[in-house]
């Protein structure tokens, strides 16, 4: 809400108060004041700079007089904090729903591990859980061998299911 500052200046001059001043008509704390060239000037409660002819009331918490830019900055800060609080509430609700209805997945529980399957098949140690199939042409056999190459790796759990 924009307010002309002339009436506030007149009231401040009448009170001749330094520091906090309250406008009797609105009950608004007018902020501090400074004396510039013999004239008492109201200051913005946000940036502490002298107020111009047009000021804004900030009614987000305590009522105070602000510059237009300071008012915009306060509004932006309030919007950002409200948005963060909303996102936090949504995240908490989402987490509660996931726990309540057992929604979601855990990679450790869902993705089969080659190390367990390799142990059941009697294979050698599987580095980083990766293994591949090796074709031996001389003996016409296929065996499982450890590998460091992700492109050649395969999942033994899937292989055992496919071979059944």
């Amino acid at each position: 809400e924009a307010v002309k500052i002339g009436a506030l200046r007149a009231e401040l001059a009448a009170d001749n108060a330094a520091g906090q001043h309250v406008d009797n008509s609105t009950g608004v704390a007018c902020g501090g004041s400074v004396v510039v060239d013999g004239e008492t000037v109201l200051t913005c409660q946000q940036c502490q700079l002298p107020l111009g002819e047009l000021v804004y009331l900030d009614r987000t918490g305590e009522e105070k007089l602000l510059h237009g830019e300071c008012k915009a900055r306060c509004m932006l800060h309030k919007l950002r904090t409200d948005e963060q609080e909303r996102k936090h509430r949504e995240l908490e609700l989402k987490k509660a729903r996931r726990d309540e209805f057992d929604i979601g997945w855990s990679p450790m529980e869902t993705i089969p591990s080659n190390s367990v399957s390799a142990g059941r098949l009697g294979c050698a140690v599987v580095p980083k859980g990766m293994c591949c199939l090796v074709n031996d042409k001389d003996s016409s056999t296929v065996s499982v061998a450890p590998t460091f190459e992700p492109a050649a790796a395969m999942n033994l759990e899937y292989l055992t299911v496919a071979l059944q």
Side-chain angles (χ1 to χ4, degrees), residues 79-93:
L79 287 173
R80 284 183 178 160
T81 55
D82 290 349
E83 180 70 11
Q84 287 176 346
E85 289 172 4
R86 183 190 61 80
K87 284 182 179 181
H88 181 71
R89 283 192 309 269
E90 285 179 359
L91 186 64
E92 290 296 320
L93 179 64

Side-chain angles (χ1 to χ4, degrees), residues 7-17 21 39-40 42:
L8 294 174
R9 279 191 181 151
E11 191 171 324
L12 180 65
D15 290 346
N16 199 9
H21 173 72
E39 182 182 348
T40 303
L42 293 174

Side-chain angles (χ1 to χ4, degrees), residues 85-140:
E85 289 172 4
R86 183 190 61 80
K87 284 182 179 181
H88 181 71
R89 283 192 309 269
E90 285 179 359
L91 186 64
E92 290 296 320
L93 179 64
K94 187 176 183 179
K95 186 179 181 311
R97 294 284 189 241
R98 285 178 178 260
D99 292 343
E100 180 181 353
F101 297 111
D102 196 26
I103 300 172
W105 65 282
S106 170
M108 298 306 288
E109 297 171 4
T110 309
I111 299 174
S113 172
N114 277 343
S115 57
V116 174
S117 299
R120 279 189 273 159
L121 294 173
C123 298
V125 176
V126 181
K128 292 188 179 180
M130 295 191 300
C131 58
C132 64
L133 292 178
V134 178
N135 182 15
D136 186 7
K137 291 182 182 180
D138 295 335
S139 65
S140 297

